[in-house]
Structure formats: C-alpha cells, structure tokens
Amino acid sequence: MKVTFCCDDTRPEPWLKGLHDALPGADISIWEPGAAQADYALVWAPPQQFIDEQATGLKAMFNIGAGVDALLPLTIPAALPVYRLEDAGMAVQMAEYVAQAVIRFFRGLDQYEADMAQGVWQHQRNPKRVDYPVGVMGLGKMGERVAKALTVFDYPVNGWSRSLREMEGVKCFGGMDQLDAFLSETRILVNLLPLHAETENIINAHTLSQLRTGAYVINVGRGGHVVDADLIAQLDAGHVSGAMLDVFREEPLPDNHPFWKHPKIILTPHTSARTLAADSIAQIVGKVAAMSRGEAVTGRVDLKKGY
C-alpha cells in the first residue's frame, strides 16, 4: 500500500509517524510533483497539479478536516471517492468553544472583566435564558454536538439546515424558505455551515437584520460566510451587540483589517476545533480497512453539494 501526504501548511512529522505506526509496512511519503502513483492520499488544500497527477489512480482521497471548501475550486474526477473527517475529536472542541462564547455573552462576563480591570465591584444584569435563544446554523456532526451541548444549559436552541432535521430539545428549521423564521427566533447566532455557493455571504445585512435586537454572532464556519462590512455596520448601529469570530476570508487576518480594533469583536486564530492527528489517523485507517473488506464507508463528500 502506498500513501501520500499533501498538506503544505500542516506539520507532517506527527502524521507520518502516526501513519507508519498504524500501517506498518505501508509506503508513506510526502507528495512531490512527479511522485509515483499512490493508493490513498491525505490532503489539505492540495494544488491542482496533485489532482492531475494522482487522482486517476487513487482508491480514495481523505481531506484532513471537516470543511472541504478548499477542494471545491479544483477539477476532481467524479469517480474518485473523497472523504472528510467525521468528528475525529473536533466536535467536542467546537462545543467547548461555542459554549464558552455563549455563556460569556449571556452572563456579561466581558463587562465583569472590564469592571475588575478598573477596580469596579458591581453586579451586571440578571438575564433570563428565555430571552437569549441560540440559533445554530448547520446541523452536521459538529453542529449537532454544539446544539445538544447548549441544551444542557437550558438555553432555548433553534437549528437550521439545508434540509429539515429532527433533534430532541432543538426546534429545527429547514431550507431557505424557513431561514428568516429561524433568524427571527434567534438572539445568539452560531454559524457552523459548510461553505459553498449557496452559503457564501449568508451572514449579511438582511440576515443580520432579522435577528432579535441585541444579537450576538459566533462564526466558527468559514470567513466567506460573513459579509465583513455588513457585520461591522450592524455592530455600529447597535442591532448586533457583539461578535466572536474564529474564521476569516483571509487567514492570517491582515493587519489593517477593521476587525482587529473593533471594540465589540473578539477574535481567535481559527482555533475553535483543531484537527487532532492521532484521532484523524485512526479514523482514516479504519475507513481504509473497511474499504479493503468491501464494506460501506461513511463521510463521502458530494463535491456538487459542497459537503
């Protein structure tokens, strides 16, 4: 078995060691132009040259992340099975990140931090959870984990996805015709959508205006979901009271981007859910083993849909 690794912005050593340990005897290497044909590939944002040279002989290609938007601009043969990671330790990280962001906003912890820094001892508002419904956009593996985690804290939780889902404890909406209704019942908006043609720029002046007054936006999907200028306008107008952003159109975020200095925005460097090499390798090796036995494998990407 020959496995190739094509992830330019990822430190390869942990992956190569983990693959060697999990697949003793396999030929595992970092891809270089002109390399021999591989059986399986692990990729993250590969160049088109990689696809042109390797795709026709691959049995499967594994994207080492949940989002596959970096693959969508590429020309990939329809016959090549492409698989994304399903959780692999990322869902619990995402639930932690979103829960702390929701709680920080709901409990007014940002104001307490500011007060204590100024030596001020005072209580803030005593909010009611019923007044802070959370809306989760995207109910895949991570979105489902996030929504369920928030129900534990007794927040009213809404969920929106491309097709209608059913989740215990979550009021679900489906399709574009129910998006405005979902937004109108949401005060804290959490975006976990995949990025593709239908979801690009989905957080814009119109959708933000549909949120309840004093809304809060948490974006852990992709930067391309948010129209930056529209979010800033809604923050400045006061309809949106704050935002916590982990993903951006350009990463690292340029030094001159207005997000850096906006007083109502908290930034983190795309760290809400990091890919864990050991968990990811175990999942990929399990899928390869299932394929060799002729079993069905979950997590196949529909590149036409974008997820």
Side-chain angles (χ1 to χ4, degrees):
M1 180 192 302
K2 182 173 177 58
V3 180
T4 187
F5 184 82
C6 182
C7 309
D8 287 343
D9 64 347
T10 301
R11 193 165 68 90
E13 290 80 10
W15 291 87
L16 299 180
K17 181 181 184 305
L19 287 166
H20 280 296
D21 291 344
L23 297 169
D27 180 358
I28 299 165
S29 62
I30 298 174
W31 176 78
E32 295 181 354
Q37 177 65 57
D39 299 302
Y40 299 97
L42 279 65
V43 304
W44 181 256
Q48 183 63 49
Q49 184 179 359
F50 171 85
I51 303 297
D52 295 342
E53 293 184 0
Q54 292 286 324
T56 55
L58 290 173
K59 297 177 181 178
M61 185 166 74
F62 298 95
N63 188 64
I64 62 166
V68 297
D69 45 290
L71 298 180
L72 300 184
L74 302 176
T75 300
I76 299 175
L80 173 61
V82 179
Y83 295 91
R84 57 179 169 77
L85 292 181
E86 300 174 281
D87 191 348
M90 290 186 286
V92 66
Q93 297 178 68
M94 190 66 79
E96 289 174 335
Y97 183 98
V98 172
Q100 65 81 27
V102 169
I103 292 168
R104 187 176 188 276
F105 172 64
F106 172 71
R107 295 291 300 271
L109 297 181
D110 53 343
Q111 188 58 55
Y112 282 119
E113 291 170 4
D115 286 348
M116 298 304 277
Q118 297 297 320
V120 176
W121 183 284
Q122 66 180 350
H123 292 288
Q124 300 298 325
R125 64 189 189 278
N126 186 22
K128 298 178 181 179
R129 284 171 175 75
V130 69
D131 296 329
Y132 288 78
V134 183
V136 179
M137 300 178 74
L139 296 176
K141 292 285 186 180
M142 286 192 281
E144 181 177 0
R145 182 66 180 266
V146 167
K148 289 181 177 178
L150 293 171
T151 63
V152 172
F153 297 103
D154 294 338
Y155 293 104
V157 180
N158 305 315
W160 182 83
S161 52
R162 181 175 180 175
S163 56
L164 187 62
R165 296 278 307 276
E166 289 187 8
M167 290 179 58
E168 184 178 355
V170 177
K171 183 177 180 180
C172 292
F173 299 78
M176 295 302 295
D177 59 335
Q178 294 187 8
L179 179 58
D180 281 359
F182 160 81
L183 294 168
S184 69
E185 295 191 29
T186 293
R187 184 164 184 183
I188 303 175
L189 181 67
V190 181
N191 176 49
L192 283 145
L193 289 168
L195 180 63
H196 50 77
E198 292 185 9
T199 63
E200 187 173 8
N201 299 324
I202 196 169
I203 301 177
N204 53 46
H206 172 76
T207 51
L208 291 169
S209 70
Q210 300 305 301
L211 297 170
R212 294 191 177 184
T213 301
Y216 195 80
V217 174
I218 301 166
N219 187 25
V220 287
R222 286 290 186 266
H225 288 124
V226 176
V227 179
D228 296 355
D230 290 358
L231 175 59
I232 290 172
Q234 290 287 335
L235 287 165
D236 292 344
H239 181 70
V240 175
S241 60
M244 189 164 189
L245 309 176
D246 186 55
V247 289
F248 310 92
R249 290 180 178 272
E250 183 179 348
E251 296 181 2
L253 189 65
D255 293 343
N256 62 350
H257 197 287
F259 282 168
W260 281 112
K261 296 183 178 180
H262 201 288
K264 296 181 179 180
I265 296 178
I266 300 170
L267 308 176
T268 53
H270 203 148
T271 192
S272 55
R274 304 291 299 276
T275 300
L276 304 178
D279 289 19
S280 302
I281 290 168
Q283 184 179 133
I284 291 168
V285 169
K287 290 181 187 294
V288 169
M291 289 178 198
S292 68
R293 296 190 297 267
E295 299 173 1
V297 177
T298 60
R300 184 164 180 173
V301 175
D302 185 333
L303 292 173
K304 290 183 179 180
K305 292 182 177 178
Y307 57 89

